[in-house]
Amino acid sequence: QAISDMQDAGGSFISNIFPAPKDPFLSVARHALGHTIQASKEIGQCRYCWLLEEDCVCAQMREQAALTCGPVQWALLCHPLEFMRSSSSGKLLASVLGGEFLVFGVQEHEDILDKVLSDSGTRLLLPGDGSRRLKDWLSEDQVIPSESVGTGSGSPILTLLVLDGSWDQVRALERELADRRSAMGQRDPLPRIRLDDAAVESFHSPLIDALKPGAGKGRLSTFEACALFLREAEDCLCVPRGTWKEALKG
């Protein structure tokens, strides 16, 4: 999906020359989501996986304890059109790894998003201009004066904001984030962390293969990208070893 597609450095070059236009759907997202959710209730669909309620397993997943990610906490922002897709892997993030699952266009979610954006410890997991690999970023003695840092062991020191959707949808969300930060008086772009290129190129996605047979080599779904970040974080941060494997196994 978007993270693997944009991993190519050329994507950053093109996006700088041709800025993404405003997404007209985002301006009507609140109304569209309300209508869609109401319709799903009337026909007995789960509003997360969009399966009929008798076939839904979302409740069972929410009952399972999320994996421990050490000093990393997650916030996923889903494009409303991606939210309406039953095959969206980003929805697994909150259930498996914990953190916030946010949908653009839901007022309560946007309130939480503003808090995430104002936290000095938030980083965007997305390749592009100025993005750095985790180990490079840490080797440069980057300090995270995060408001989420606690005094107890395992307190989160890094909040990763993940955008879920197609390439165009992610670019549109990225522009919205920039506008929101600007309205908060924060002119600098949100710092970015990217995955290691070699790790992405060598990965074979069973999720993408299931949707498009033979297309999984060197590509990642949103959830798989988060799991690969945890694999890199095992050597740099206090993330329990094997967490990324457990996430993909689930």
XYZ file of all heavy atoms in Angstrom, residues 51-121:
536
model
N -18.181 -6.825 7.308
C -18.846 -8.105 7.143
C -20.151 -8.088 7.927
O -20.338 -7.276 8.837
C -17.964 -9.246 7.648
C -16.639 -9.475 6.907
C -15.827 -10.563 7.610
C -16.890 -9.850 5.454
N -21.059 -9.008 7.573
C -22.281 -9.129 8.362
C -21.899 -9.513 9.792
O -20.911 -10.214 10.018
C -23.200 -10.175 7.748
C -23.797 -9.813 6.379
C -24.618 -10.972 5.836
C -24.660 -8.547 6.467
N -22.662 -9.054 10.753
C -22.302 -9.230 12.159
C -22.098 -10.687 12.544
O -21.250 -10.999 13.390
C -23.373 -8.580 13.040
C -23.390 -7.061 12.923
C -24.472 -6.426 13.762
O -25.319 -7.183 14.305
O -24.483 -5.187 13.871
N -22.842 -11.607 11.910
C -22.680 -13.019 12.275
C -21.342 -13.590 11.789
O -20.889 -14.632 12.265
C -23.829 -13.869 11.718
C -24.032 -13.751 10.212
C -25.112 -12.741 9.851
O -25.278 -11.766 10.608
O -25.785 -12.955 8.822
N -20.690 -12.913 10.838
C -19.396 -13.372 10.325
C -18.225 -12.568 10.891
O -17.066 -12.862 10.597
C -19.365 -13.258 8.793
C -20.426 -14.122 8.134
O -20.648 -15.245 8.621
O -21.020 -13.668 7.140
N -18.509 -11.562 11.700
C -17.481 -10.646 12.196
C -16.708 -11.247 13.370
O -17.280 -11.894 14.239
C -18.127 -9.331 12.616
S -17.007 -8.177 13.426
N -15.380 -11.027 13.379
C -14.538 -11.489 14.481
C -13.850 -10.315 15.181
O -12.938 -10.518 15.988
C -13.466 -12.487 13.976
C -14.123 -13.745 13.449
C -12.583 -11.849 12.925
N -14.269 -9.096 14.879
C -13.628 -7.911 15.455
C -13.708 -7.905 16.984
O -12.745 -7.551 17.665
C -14.263 -6.639 14.894
S -13.929 -6.373 13.136
N -14.858 -8.314 17.515
C -15.027 -8.313 18.968
C -14.045 -9.273 19.631
O -13.478 -8.980 20.684
C -16.464 -8.693 19.329
N -13.808 -10.425 19.004
C -12.860 -11.395 19.555
C -11.438 -10.829 19.554
O -10.674 -11.035 20.492
C -12.901 -12.681 18.736
C -14.239 -13.405 18.783
C -14.254 -14.645 17.915
O -13.220 -15.263 17.696
N -15.411 -15.008 17.402
N -11.100 -10.101 18.502
C -9.772 -9.507 18.423
C -9.580 -8.438 19.492
O -8.501 -8.314 20.079
C -9.533 -8.906 17.032
C -9.451 -9.928 15.923
S -8.920 -9.200 14.365
C -7.275 -8.623 14.788
N -10.619 -7.663 19.748
C -10.507 -6.603 20.751
C -10.359 -7.171 22.158
O -9.827 -6.510 23.051
C -11.728 -5.678 20.667
C -11.697 -4.743 19.467
C -12.748 -3.667 19.601
N -14.091 -4.201 19.431
C -14.734 -4.250 18.256
N -14.130 -3.824 17.156
N -15.949 -4.733 18.179
N -10.846 -8.417 22.357
C -10.719 -9.053 23.678
C -9.299 -9.538 23.948
O -8.925 -9.754 25.099
C -11.704 -10.230 23.766
C -13.176 -9.789 23.801
C -14.119 -10.976 23.751
O -13.612 -12.120 23.626
O -15.342 -10.771 23.817
N -8.496 -9.721 22.911
C -7.125 -10.177 23.082
C -6.237 -9.005 23.480
O -6.378 -7.897 22.978
C -6.610 -10.803 21.784
C -7.408 -12.023 21.333
C -6.924 -12.572 20.003
O -5.971 -12.069 19.428
N -7.588 -13.605 19.522
N -5.303 -9.269 24.370
C -4.393 -8.220 24.815
C -3.434 -7.849 23.696
O -2.913 -8.710 22.984
C -3.604 -8.697 26.036
N -3.217 -6.546 23.519
C -2.286 -6.074 22.499
C -0.856 -6.427 22.896
O -0.532 -6.551 24.075
C -2.422 -4.562 22.322
N -0.006 -6.608 21.894
C 1.395 -6.910 22.149
C 2.096 -5.700 22.765
O 1.718 -4.560 22.519
C 2.092 -7.291 20.836
C 1.586 -8.566 20.150
C 2.240 -8.727 18.788
C 1.877 -9.788 21.020
N 3.118 -5.970 23.551
C 3.889 -4.897 24.171
C 4.949 -4.398 23.195
O 5.754 -5.185 22.691
C 4.575 -5.402 25.455
O 3.574 -5.851 26.368
C 5.384 -4.288 26.100
N 4.940 -3.098 22.942
C 5.880 -2.510 21.977
C 6.947 -1.658 22.656
O 7.569 -0.803 22.013
C 5.123 -1.671 20.950
S 3.986 -2.628 19.933
N 7.156 -1.860 23.960
C 8.199 -1.128 24.666
C 7.955 0.370 24.649
O 6.869 0.839 25.002
N 8.956 1.140 24.199
C 8.831 2.600 24.237
C 8.065 3.188 23.059
O 8.010 4.404 22.906
C 10.293 3.055 24.209
C 10.972 2.016 23.397
C 10.304 0.712 23.760
N 7.502 2.327 22.233
C 6.804 2.801 21.034
C 5.297 2.739 21.245
O 4.764 1.727 21.704
C 7.178 1.940 19.804
C 6.429 2.420 18.571
C 8.684 1.959 19.571
N 4.617 3.836 20.920
C 3.162 3.806 20.886
C 2.703 4.262 19.504
O 3.418 4.976 18.798
C 2.559 4.676 21.984
C 2.840 6.157 21.887
C 2.217 6.916 23.044
O 1.724 6.323 24.007
N 2.233 8.230 22.966
N 1.504 3.840 19.138
C 1.029 4.000 17.764
C -0.202 4.886 17.686
O -1.041 4.890 18.581
C 0.676 2.633 17.173
C 1.789 1.661 17.163
C 2.090 0.740 18.136
C 2.780 1.494 16.146
N 3.196 0.016 17.780
C 3.646 0.451 16.569
C 3.011 2.117 14.921
C 4.719 0.022 15.793
C 4.084 1.689 14.151
C 4.920 0.655 14.590
N -0.301 5.590 16.568
C -1.524 6.316 16.225
C -1.691 6.181 14.718
O -0.818 6.608 13.953
C -1.433 7.784 16.629
N -2.744 5.536 14.300
C -2.997 5.355 12.867
C -4.145 6.259 12.435
O -5.214 6.259 13.044
C -3.334 3.902 12.552
C -3.591 3.630 11.061
C -2.849 2.378 10.607
C -5.078 3.487 10.753
N -3.885 7.038 11.380
C -4.918 7.902 10.810
C -5.347 7.311 9.477
O -4.564 7.214 8.538
C -4.386 9.321 10.611
C -5.381 10.309 9.975
C -6.607 10.494 10.864
C -4.700 11.648 9.700
N -6.597 6.928 9.406
C -7.136 6.244 8.238
C -7.937 7.223 7.370
O -8.771 7.978 7.879
C -8.030 5.096 8.699
S -8.534 3.957 7.401
N -7.657 7.202 6.079
C -8.476 7.976 5.134
C -9.882 7.386 5.152
O -10.053 6.164 5.229
C -7.872 7.885 3.735
C -8.477 8.818 2.740
N -9.719 8.590 2.174
C -8.030 9.999 2.207
C -9.994 9.578 1.329
N -8.990 10.447 1.338
N -10.927 8.221 5.098
C -12.295 7.677 5.196
C -12.633 6.656 4.120
O -13.384 5.704 4.389
C -13.175 8.930 5.097
C -12.291 10.019 4.600
C -10.920 9.688 5.054
N -12.090 6.812 2.921
C -12.370 5.820 1.877
C -11.670 4.501 2.177
O -12.201 3.426 1.889
C -11.940 6.351 0.507
C -12.813 7.466 -0.083
C -12.248 7.933 -1.422
C -14.257 6.976 -0.267
N -10.476 4.572 2.768
C -9.778 3.352 3.172
C -10.526 2.678 4.314
O -10.606 1.444 4.382
C -8.346 3.688 3.597
C -7.511 2.493 3.998
C -7.144 1.584 2.830
O -7.319 1.994 1.661
O -6.684 0.451 3.094
N -11.086 3.464 5.217
C -11.859 2.920 6.330
C -13.045 2.108 5.829
O -13.448 1.120 6.455
C -12.349 4.067 7.214
C -13.300 3.652 8.294
C -12.885 2.859 9.350
C -14.633 4.051 8.255
C -13.773 2.466 10.349
C -15.521 3.672 9.241
C -15.091 2.871 10.289
N -13.602 2.499 4.694
C -14.772 1.817 4.155
C -14.418 0.548 3.381
O -15.306 -0.150 2.898
C -15.544 2.764 3.239
C -16.126 3.970 3.964
S -16.968 5.100 2.820
C -17.238 6.521 3.897
N -13.124 0.231 3.275
C -12.697 -0.979 2.589
C -12.539 -2.124 3.585
O -11.923 -1.969 4.635
C -11.367 -0.751 1.863
C -11.445 0.236 0.723
C -10.082 0.438 0.082
N -9.574 -0.804 -0.489
C -8.387 -1.335 -0.192
N -7.608 -0.744 0.693
N -7.996 -2.445 -0.757
N -13.079 -3.273 3.248
C -12.996 -4.422 4.149
C -11.595 -5.007 4.193
O -11.241 -5.720 5.132
C -13.984 -5.506 3.715
O -13.702 -5.953 2.390
N -10.760 -4.705 3.186
C -9.420 -5.295 3.117
C -8.342 -4.412 3.731
O -7.160 -4.711 3.616
C -9.055 -5.583 1.649
O -9.097 -4.388 0.879
N -8.723 -3.331 4.392
C -7.743 -2.421 4.976
C -7.005 -3.089 6.138
O -7.610 -3.486 7.128
C -8.442 -1.153 5.478
O -7.544 -0.331 6.179
N -5.679 -3.198 6.021
C -4.892 -3.858 7.067
C -4.620 -2.939 8.251
O -4.289 -3.410 9.343
C -3.558 -4.345 6.489
O -2.703 -3.252 6.188
N -4.742 -1.625 8.053
C -4.456 -0.694 9.132
C -5.350 -0.883 10.345
O -4.961 -0.540 11.474
N -6.520 -1.441 10.124
C -7.454 -1.647 11.232
C -6.931 -2.664 12.240
O -7.403 -2.725 13.374
C -8.809 -2.105 10.681
C -9.470 -1.076 9.766
C -10.707 -1.640 9.088
C -11.281 -0.648 8.092
N -12.428 -1.185 7.355
N -5.956 -3.463 11.826
C -5.373 -4.450 12.740
C -4.462 -3.799 13.776
O -4.188 -4.392 14.821
C -4.563 -5.480 11.945
C -5.325 -6.358 10.947
C -4.344 -7.153 10.106
C -6.281 -7.286 11.678
N -3.987 -2.595 13.488
C -2.959 -1.991 14.320
C -3.381 -1.850 15.775
O -2.660 -2.266 16.689
C -2.571 -0.623 13.753
C -1.392 0.059 14.427
C -0.121 -0.735 14.197
C -1.217 1.479 13.921
N -4.523 -1.235 16.012
C -4.964 -0.998 17.392
C -5.203 -2.307 18.139
O -4.879 -2.423 19.323
C -6.221 -0.144 17.401
N -5.751 -3.303 17.443
C -6.061 -4.570 18.101
C -4.811 -5.363 18.438
O -4.705 -5.959 19.518
C -6.968 -5.420 17.200
O -8.203 -4.777 16.958
N -3.835 -5.372 17.535
C -2.658 -6.221 17.701
C -1.523 -5.505 18.435
O -0.866 -6.086 19.302
C -2.160 -6.732 16.329
C -0.921 -7.605 16.498
C -3.265 -7.512 15.624
N -1.300 -4.220 18.092
C -0.171 -3.488 18.668
C -0.593 -2.398 19.645
O 0.256 -1.740 20.243
C 0.673 -2.862 17.539
C 1.287 -3.850 16.542
C 2.077 -3.105 15.478
C 2.169 -4.872 17.250
N -1.880 -2.180 19.797
C -2.358 -1.137 20.693
C -2.282 0.235 20.038
O -1.945 0.379 18.871
N -2.616 1.269 20.788
C -2.566 2.617 20.253
C -3.914 3.101 19.768
O -4.955 2.484 20.004
N -3.881 4.218 19.054
C -5.102 4.873 18.609
C -5.409 4.520 17.153
O -4.532 4.560 16.289
C -4.954 6.396 18.718
C -4.674 6.909 20.119
C -5.907 6.857 21.013
O -6.994 6.506 20.518
O -5.774 7.185 22.202
N -6.672 4.185 16.896
C -7.151 4.020 15.524
C -8.068 5.200 15.229
O -9.137 5.325 15.828
C -7.898 2.700 15.350
C -8.529 2.544 13.986
C -7.724 2.305 12.876
C -9.897 2.654 13.822
C -8.295 2.170 11.621
C -10.472 2.521 12.567
C -9.673 2.278 11.452
N -7.635 6.076 14.328
C -8.344 7.319 14.063
C -8.797 7.361 12.607
O -8.066 6.966 11.703
C -7.432 8.525 14.339
C -6.699 8.528 15.687
C -5.728 9.683 15.753
C -7.706 8.582 16.832
N -10.004 7.857 12.397
C -10.540 8.015 11.051
C -10.769 9.502 10.795
O -11.453 10.169 11.584
C -11.855 7.237 10.874
C -12.379 7.390 9.440
C -11.668 5.762 11.207
N -10.188 10.013 9.725
C -10.377 11.419 9.406
C -11.855 11.663 9.085
O -12.453 10.955 8.289
C -9.518 11.823 8.203
C -9.503 13.304 7.955
C -8.523 14.098 8.526
C -10.483 13.912 7.177
C -8.511 15.464 8.322
C -10.481 15.273 6.968
C -9.497 16.056 7.538
N -12.425 12.665 9.723
C -13.836 12.969 9.526
C -14.679 12.671 10.749
O -15.836 13.093 10.818
N -14.115 11.952 11.711
C -14.792 11.691 12.980
C -14.284 12.720 13.986
O -13.089 12.750 14.286
C -14.524 10.259 13.482
C -15.204 10.032 14.832
C -15.003 9.235 12.460
N -15.163 13.561 14.503
C -14.736 14.685 15.335
C -13.923 14.241 16.541
O -12.881 14.821 16.859
C -15.965 15.485 15.793
C -15.611 16.731 16.607
C -14.774 17.720 15.812
O -15.184 18.184 14.754
N -13.587 18.043 16.319
N -14.393 13.209 17.233
C -13.669 12.737 18.414
C -12.257 12.267 18.052
O -11.309 12.480 18.806
C -14.432 11.594 19.090
C -15.772 11.985 19.682
C -16.898 11.967 18.655
O -16.610 11.797 17.440
O -18.059 12.119 19.056
N -12.134 11.653 16.883
C -10.832 11.174 16.432
C -9.924 12.340 16.060
O -8.714 12.307 16.314
C -10.992 10.236 15.239
C -11.627 8.927 15.587
N -11.712 7.873 14.703
C -12.212 8.498 16.732
C -12.310 6.843 15.286
N -12.626 7.209 16.524
N -10.492 13.366 15.457
C -9.686 14.523 15.067
C -9.205 15.290 16.296
O -8.122 15.895 16.276
C -10.470 15.423 14.118
C -10.718 14.778 12.761
C -11.355 15.733 11.756
O -11.249 16.957 11.948
O -11.948 15.244 10.782
N -9.980 15.272 17.365
C -9.535 15.897 18.610
C -8.299 15.173 19.152
O -7.340 15.802 19.633
C -10.658 15.873 19.652
C -11.820 16.789 19.274
O -11.632 17.688 18.430
O -12.921 16.585 19.823
N -8.329 13.836 19.092
C -7.173 13.049 19.522
C -5.989 13.304 18.593
O -4.839 13.433 19.029
C -7.517 11.545 19.549
C -8.617 11.268 20.583
C -6.269 10.702 19.851
C -9.133 9.845 20.561
N -6.272 13.398 17.294
C -5.220 13.670 16.312
C -4.485 14.968 16.621
O -3.259 15.040 16.531
C -5.819 13.725 14.907
C -4.874 14.144 13.781
C -3.740 13.133 13.629
C -5.645 14.287 12.466
N -5.224 15.993 17.002
C -4.596 17.280 17.320
C -3.629 17.137 18.498
O -2.563 17.772 18.526
C -5.658 18.330 17.630
C -6.404 18.783 16.381
O -5.874 18.580 15.274
O -7.514 19.342 16.517
N -3.984 16.292 19.459
C -3.087 16.066 20.599
C -1.831 15.332 20.149
O -0.720 15.628 20.607
C -3.806 15.265 21.689
C -4.958 16.016 22.348
C -5.628 15.151 23.405
C -6.791 15.885 24.064
N -7.476 15.042 25.076
N -2.002 14.371 19.244
C -0.851 13.629 18.712
C 0.078 14.579 17.955
O 1.298 14.533 18.102
C -1.329 12.493 17.788
C -0.145 11.841 17.065
C -2.088 11.439 18.586
N -0.506 15.471 17.153
C 0.298 16.392 16.354
C 1.025 17.423 17.209
O 2.088 17.913 16.825
C -0.601 17.112 15.335
C -1.191 16.247 14.218
C -2.123 17.076 13.347
C -0.091 15.620 13.373
N 0.459 17.750 18.344
C 1.085 18.749 19.211
C 2.133 18.149 20.142
O 2.869 18.876 20.807
C 0.018 19.475 20.045
O -0.644 18.575 20.918
N 2.216 16.815 20.188
C 3.198 16.133 21.034
C 4.563 16.184 20.356
O 4.725 15.726 19.217
C 2.765 14.682 21.243
C 3.624 13.935 22.251
O 4.754 14.389 22.514
O 3.166 12.909 22.767
N 5.548 16.706 21.036
C 6.885 16.844 20.462
C 7.566 15.503 20.224
O 8.608 15.433 19.561
C 7.758 17.707 21.381
O 7.784 17.159 22.684
N 7.007 14.417 20.755
C 7.587 13.088 20.548
C 6.984 12.337 19.388
O 7.314 11.176 19.170
